[in-house]
Amino acid sequence: METQTQTTTMEAKEMKQKRMSGSEAVMQSLLHEGVDLLFGYPGGAIMPVYDALYHYQDKLNHILVRHEQGAVHAAQGYARVTGKVGVCFVTSGPGATNAVTGIADAMVDSTPLVVISGQVGSALLGTDAFQETDVVGITQPITKWNYQVKRAEEIPEAIAKAFYIARSGRPGPVLIDITKDAQFAQFDFEYKPVDRVRSYKPKSLINKEKVAEAVQLINLAKKPLALIGQGVVLGSAENELMDFLKKTGIPAAWTLLGLSAMPSDFEQNVGMLGMHGHYGPNVKTNEADLIIAIGMRFDDRVTGNVQKYATNAKVVHLEIDPAEINKIIYADVPVLGDVKDSLPKLTEMVSKNSHEAWLGEFKACDKIENQKIIEPELHPTKEGLTMGEVVRRVTEQYDDDAIVVTDVGQHQMFASRYFKFKQSRSLVTSGGLGTMGFGLPAALGAKLGQPERPVCLFVGDGGFQMTIQELGTIFQTQADVKIILLNNNFLGMVRQWQELFFDRRYASTELVNPDFQTIAKGYGVAGEKVDSRDNLDAAVKRMADHKGAYLLEVVVEKEGNVFPMVPTGASVSEVRLE
């Protein structure tokens, strides 16, 4: 006679090893990983998975986008504001290749994604079958890991491994390609979460000697400057960062993707680094005697000419990815590891300090920038509306506490410079790849990820039209996304470069645009068009008060420029104010 223990064990085993199809195994695996929201577009090779999804609609909320690129960008927006892994379904062939841009964007910007693509039957692989592409070969350089599943039995382990790799260490995208016969085949399902993979070491042990060396440099520095990157946000190390900065008194500047890692009004926050960053942190980089890079990778838009970068400074680099150490800027003291772990070790050992005189030098730079750039941008004497004043009106309307999503271009830089932040994970933008069309689907994903927070998308008339079809997804989901379209009838950033460096030869950058309000109305999205400063404040308030998606189209000056600007090939200290 069975004992009670034996019965319980057999029941548990039966539950764990239920017989099912590969497609149902995908659903069960996602549920085991805590997934409740995913984005995608069905097609022939992924159809068995969608058939299984039909029976899980009460547990897995699937968002039907209008284009596969939109699915990946929406998943990115969701991942960036929640810290969770974004999930997408796409079909084979064009479905998979349409997802490539988003996957590449996620790779460069360290966004955790799991993309599941359908594939033709395993017997047809390599035959140029209908809608067959080698998506594993195509995506190998732009994923942390990818794998083709040809047997149903492999599905649970492949998905478990995918989630572990996507979210661990430096996050990134993973692709699992599943053949159609593997989706149909039956097997005994068993799910085992993965917490390690042979030869994959997502975190390095923190070297105590390197920490001690870094502490010594920090304590001796007279003009230290901390550079804050997205690694702080990805590692949820915002509190650890503030503890370190408050104890040391060191001025801190953030990268584009590091925005919102600390409050905008934090006394030691000296602004944004880089090509269109603030004057102070750019010119003072070459006066600093110590650079402390925290979770950032020295992107070329931050460094300018590397031969002329931080010429007087020692460099301490806190970084989770060994591949980034010495890749661009030599680190005198590299501290490998998650900044959430390494920062407290530094904070514990550094001396309490203050750098008021050094901070004062940044404030002097702020006065110059305010006089020459910020005040004329926010309070222009000319008739045309500026992008900066529109951004500032919106941030004030939301008390500096909205999630800001941008597309790519001039508006992106204006939003990054003039929006203010109170809490982390409040900026979603395409940094490293600079993907036009990112904004609209990413804003949708951000709103679905954080439905209680207001989401404001700043987008230009060029990028808006690249993924404008996702208005249909916003209409279907009724997502409350506020869209601020800054319309100058130009591809603004390219035009600015043509003005400054190509003698105003505006080759193929002027746009003849459609009636955006009519298009929005067709998608059931309310909105209005503003071309006068007198109407701006009231229009922004109407947008904020409206329940549901809203398109606020603002006609801005056609040839407005975003400054400061570090010209390509120049030193950061050669930043232009005009």
Side-chain angles (χ1 to χ4, degrees):
M1 185 176 177
E2 285 184 336
T3 65
Q4 182 64 39
T5 303
Q6 287 173 319
T7 303
T8 304
T9 302
M10 290 178 67
E11 288 174 351
K13 187 175 181 181
E14 185 179 346
M15 287 176 64
K16 209 174 183 183
Q17 292 188 326
K18 180 182 177 183
R19 192 160 186 82
M20 64 181 65
S21 69
S23 296
E24 187 176 0
V26 172
M27 304 301 124
Q28 288 288 342
S29 298
L30 294 179
L31 291 174
H32 275 279
E33 291 293 341
V35 175
D36 57 8
L37 181 71
L38 59 152
F39 305 85
Y41 203 97
I46 194 76
M47 206 174 297
V49 166
Y50 272 90
D51 186 59
L53 178 62
Y54 180 84
H55 303 285
Y56 284 83
Q57 294 178 79
D58 59 331
K59 297 177 181 177
L60 292 167
N61 181 18
H62 176 271
I63 305 301
L64 175 62
V65 296
R66 299 304 185 261
H67 189 281
E68 290 88 355
Q69 182 178 344
V72 184
H73 291 330
Q76 286 178 272
Y78 171 85
R80 293 271 281 274
V81 301
T82 63
K84 299 177 182 178
V85 177
V87 181
C88 305
F89 288 164
V90 296
T91 194
S92 65
T97 57
N98 282 345
V100 166
T101 296
I103 295 170
D105 192 284
M107 185 67 176
V108 180
D109 284 353
S110 304
T111 305
L113 297 181
V114 170
V115 179
I116 296 175
S117 59
Q119 185 54 275
V120 300
S122 55
L124 293 174
L125 291 172
T127 68
D128 293 331
F130 177 68
Q131 292 192 333
E132 181 197 1
T133 56
D134 180 8
V135 67
V136 171
I138 290 169
T139 60
Q140 189 170 14
I142 55 170
T143 52
K144 280 187 75 176
W145 179 66
N146 66 10
Y147 184 72
Q148 187 172 75
V149 173
K150 300 177 185 177
R151 297 171 56 250
E153 290 83 355
E154 296 179 293
I155 289 174
E157 183 181 359
I159 291 179
K161 192 174 177 181
F163 274 87
Y164 172 66
I165 292 173
R167 66 163 68 101
S168 60
R170 179 181 179 175
V174 172
L175 180 134
I176 302 296
D177 191 44
I178 309 177
T179 63
K180 200 166 184 179
D181 50 322
Q183 297 173 45
F184 276 121
Q186 298 279 322
F187 74 109
D188 292 330
F189 175 82
E190 183 176 4
Y191 197 82
K192 295 179 181 178
V194 169
D195 59 8
R196 60 179 179 148
V197 174
R198 189 176 62 180
S199 78
Y200 171 61
K201 296 181 180 179
K203 286 187 183 181
S204 299
L205 292 175
I206 296 172
N207 187 316
K208 293 181 181 179
E209 292 180 1
K210 294 299 180 185
V211 171
E213 290 178 34
V215 167
Q216 185 178 22
L217 288 178
I218 293 167
N219 287 341
L220 291 173
K222 302 300 182 185
K223 292 187 173 184
L225 176 60
L227 313 183
I228 312 305
Q230 189 188 200
V232 171
V233 177
L234 295 174
S236 301
E238 295 89 348
N239 291 337
E240 289 78 3
L241 172 68
M242 295 299 288
D243 290 343
F244 171 77
L245 293 176
K246 288 177 179 178
K247 185 174 182 181
T248 60
I250 293 173
W254 47 23
T255 67
L256 175 63
L257 294 184
L259 289 174
S260 83
M262 52 186 173
S264 295
D265 62 0
F266 175 49
E267 185 180 19
Q268 291 161 236
N269 185 345
V270 296
M272 187 170 76
L273 296 157
M275 180 172 281
H276 292 289
H278 289 92
Y279 183 56
N282 276 316
V283 298
K284 292 299 174 183
T285 292
N286 282 349
E287 296 179 29
D289 59 6
L290 179 66
I291 296 292
I292 308 162
I294 304 174
M296 56 87 71
R297 60 185 180 87
F298 290 108
D299 177 78
D300 62 288
R301 290 297 171 101
V302 165
T303 65
N305 187 332
V306 295
Q307 304 302 321
K308 300 178 181 179
Y309 181 78
T311 49
N312 297 315
K314 296 282 189 181
V315 175
V316 172
H317 194 175
L318 280 64
E319 174 59 46
I320 198 169
D321 185 355
E324 295 296 343
I325 299 294
N326 299 330
K327 186 174 86 174
I328 297 170
I329 298 297
Y330 173 76
D332 296 276
V333 181
V335 181
L336 276 170
D338 192 325
V339 294
K340 191 172 183 67
D341 300 325
S342 59
L343 272 172
K345 296 182 185 302
L346 289 175
T347 304
E348 182 181 357
M349 296 175 65
V350 293
S351 301
K352 186 169 179 59
N353 208 339
S354 172
H355 292 278
E356 289 184 12
W358 176 227
L359 269 169
E361 293 187 34
F362 286 90
K363 291 176 181 176
C365 289
D366 290 343
K367 289 182 180 178
I368 295 171
E369 185 175 347
N370 274 320
Q371 180 182 359
K372 289 197 171 187
I373 295 174
I374 296 176
E375 279 302 312
E377 181 70 30
L378 296 182
H379 303 101
T381 55
K382 49 196 171 185
E383 184 177 336
L385 285 160
T386 69
M387 292 191 188
E389 67 177 313
V390 177
V391 172
R392 186 55 62 87
R393 294 292 192 283
V394 175
T395 189
E396 290 170 350
Q397 177 65 46
Y398 287 98
D399 193 26
D400 303 338
D401 203 20
I403 291 173
V404 177
V405 185
T406 83
D407 206 83
V408 170
Q410 283 183 316
H411 69 275
Q412 177 187 32
M413 295 297 103
F414 277 111
S416 302
R417 287 177 50 79
Y418 292 98
F419 212 91
K420 303 297 182 183
F421 303 99
K422 286 185 176 179
Q423 58 178 303
S424 188
R425 294 192 179 274
S426 291
L427 178 80
V428 179
T429 193
S430 173
L433 200 63
T435 305
M436 290 180 68
F438 173 88
L440 188 59
L444 166 69
K447 184 62 184 180
L448 294 176
Q450 292 283 7
E452 302 305 315
R453 294 193 65 192
V455 171
C456 296
L457 165 66
F458 289 96
V459 64
D461 43 319
F464 187 47
Q465 293 180 82
M466 285 195 170
T467 51
I468 196 169
Q469 68 277 358
E470 298 308 330
L471 286 173
T473 315
I474 289 173
F475 174 59
Q476 186 165 346
T477 59
Q478 294 296 295
D480 186 1
V481 175
K482 309 304 187 190
I483 305 164
I484 301 95
L485 169 60
L486 300 176
N487 187 352
N488 58 7
N489 291 104
F490 263 118
L491 300 176
M493 187 62 85
V494 183
R495 187 216 55 77
Q496 177 171 334
W497 281 57
Q498 289 172 335
E499 175 187 338
L500 298 176
F501 307 115
F502 293 88
D503 297 325
R504 294 180 179 267
R505 292 188 294 274
Y506 296 157
S508 301
T509 46
E510 189 163 9
L511 294 168
V512 177
N513 287 321
D515 183 337
F516 290 114
Q517 294 301 319
T518 298
I519 292 172
K521 185 178 180 181
Y523 281 110
V525 175
E528 62 183 294
K529 184 175 181 177
V530 174
D531 58 8
S532 165
R533 185 168 290 112
D534 293 339
N535 298 326
L536 180 61
D537 286 348
V540 170
K541 188 176 189 309
R542 282 191 293 272
M543 175 188 72
D545 291 343
H546 180 78
K547 304 299 182 185
Y550 200 90
L551 174 62
L552 176 60
E553 179 185 356
V554 184
V555 179
V556 294
E557 55 182 342
K558 285 179 70 70
E559 297 187 47
N561 289 330
V562 55
F563 284 105
M565 181 179 185
V566 179
T568 301
S571 163
V572 289
S573 58
E574 297 172 311
V575 58
R576 292 177 53 169
L577 292 174
E578 56 187 13

